[in-house]
Amino acid sequence: MQIEKSTYNFLKDLQKNNNRDWFADNKPLYTKALKNAKDVFADINQKLQEHDEIEKSKMMRIYRDVRFSKDKTPYKAHFANSYSRLGKELRGGYFLRIRPGESFLAGGFWEPNKEDLFRIRKEIEMDASEIRGILEDKNYIKHFGGKFESFGELKTAPRGFDAAHPDVDLLRKKGFIAVKNFSDKEVLAVDFTDKVNEGFKALRPFFNLFSDILTTNLNGESII
């Protein structure tokens, strides 16, 4: 199973013609591209199930909610899918976006609730060595560049934490996300879903550690 060139061409054309008239005229092309993307996402979900427990696979709608946005283009010029892990013990989630020139996979904790974020920060404050160990792991570096992305960071340490803490760079983050970008050539390759699966596998040490943190207190005692 792979992304077809016609699917990519549809998304490229949609980027240039993001309006309802063009979309209506090209609905058959959309239907074909949508089926291809669904099949690819389903194939990846099957691969994920072989090494993780996935509770839900959800494909994002192509239609944009423009009510509160300055950008009034009606469609997302990409296909995207999220994969939710099973249960309270298995934290973290997987995400894949297919967009010409801007395709990527990601995983982690996009917008953790305030309780989870505080617990992660307390772990960092007490001892960040295991988290640093994830970032320094060769496989994590290979896939994710040895860093966490965060869509938003504080300018200084959060309230109640020392601004001079040696791990303040981690304390400032509002989320903890691993991101791997793909070129168009990689997305269109026969082994793309295998490459995505390899990237998702590389997230497991990260997920395992953060799942352990978020299901225990600072004494290591279970809270679930």
Side-chain angles (χ1 to χ4, degrees), residues 16-203:
K16 300 173 184 176
N17 305 278
N18 201 327
N19 62 78
R20 290 181 174 83
D21 288 340
W22 182 90
F23 193 85
D25 290 341
N26 291 273
K27 195 67 176 287
L29 295 178
Y30 165 65
T31 301
K32 181 181 177 182
L34 178 64
K35 182 181 184 306
N36 177 223
K38 282 184 175 180
D39 288 344
V40 168
F41 293 145
D43 183 50
I44 292 169
N45 183 46
Q46 186 174 354
K47 287 179 166 62
L48 264 173
Q49 296 282 7
E50 293 175 2
H51 58 85
D52 202 348
E53 296 180 73
I54 303 301
E55 182 175 41
K56 181 171 65 174
S57 172
K58 179 180 179 182
M59 187 172 182
M60 310 304 170
R61 286 167 52 85
I62 201 169
Y63 306 99
R64 297 184 63 250
D65 183 352
V66 301
R67 291 174 298 171
F68 308 107
S69 174
K70 292 181 180 179
D71 179 2
K72 298 301 181 181
T73 52
Y75 308 105
K76 305 168 189 171
H78 62 256
F79 292 119
N81 202 86
S82 65
Y83 305 89
S84 302
R85 302 181 78 211
L86 176 67
K88 294 181 179 180
E89 297 89 349
L90 302 179
R91 299 297 187 91
Y94 303 96
F95 180 81
L96 176 63
R97 186 179 81 170
I98 306 299
R99 180 184 177 95
E102 301 176 46
S103 299
F104 67 88
L105 69 77
F109 304 82
W110 280 262
E111 295 180 339
N113 61 50
K114 63 180 182 179
E115 292 81 10
D116 283 353
L117 184 56
F118 181 74
R119 176 65 183 89
I120 293 168
R121 285 172 170 168
K122 291 300 291 184
E123 186 73 20
I124 293 168
E125 179 185 50
M126 184 174 69
D127 182 5
S129 61
E130 288 187 282
I131 295 176
R132 292 289 184 192
I134 295 294
L135 297 175
E136 294 165 4
D137 177 77
K138 289 182 179 180
N139 200 39
Y140 188 90
I141 292 172
K142 173 186 174 182
H143 288 277
F144 308 111
K147 61 182 179 179
F148 291 135
E149 303 290 347
S150 177
F151 299 118
E153 293 189 7
L154 300 174
K155 293 182 179 180
T156 186
R159 181 176 298 179
F161 293 85
D162 185 1
H165 192 283
D167 298 297
V168 70
D169 60 314
L170 296 177
L171 290 172
R172 290 170 48 223
K173 293 186 178 298
K174 295 181 180 180
F176 299 85
I177 309 158
V179 177
K180 178 181 177 66
N181 296 306
F182 292 100
S183 68
D184 291 349
K185 182 178 179 181
E186 288 174 317
V187 173
L188 292 169
V190 176
D191 63 351
F192 176 61
T193 59
D194 291 328
K195 295 296 185 183
V196 171
N197 192 45
E198 288 176 15
F200 284 160
K201 277 185 178 180
L203 288 168

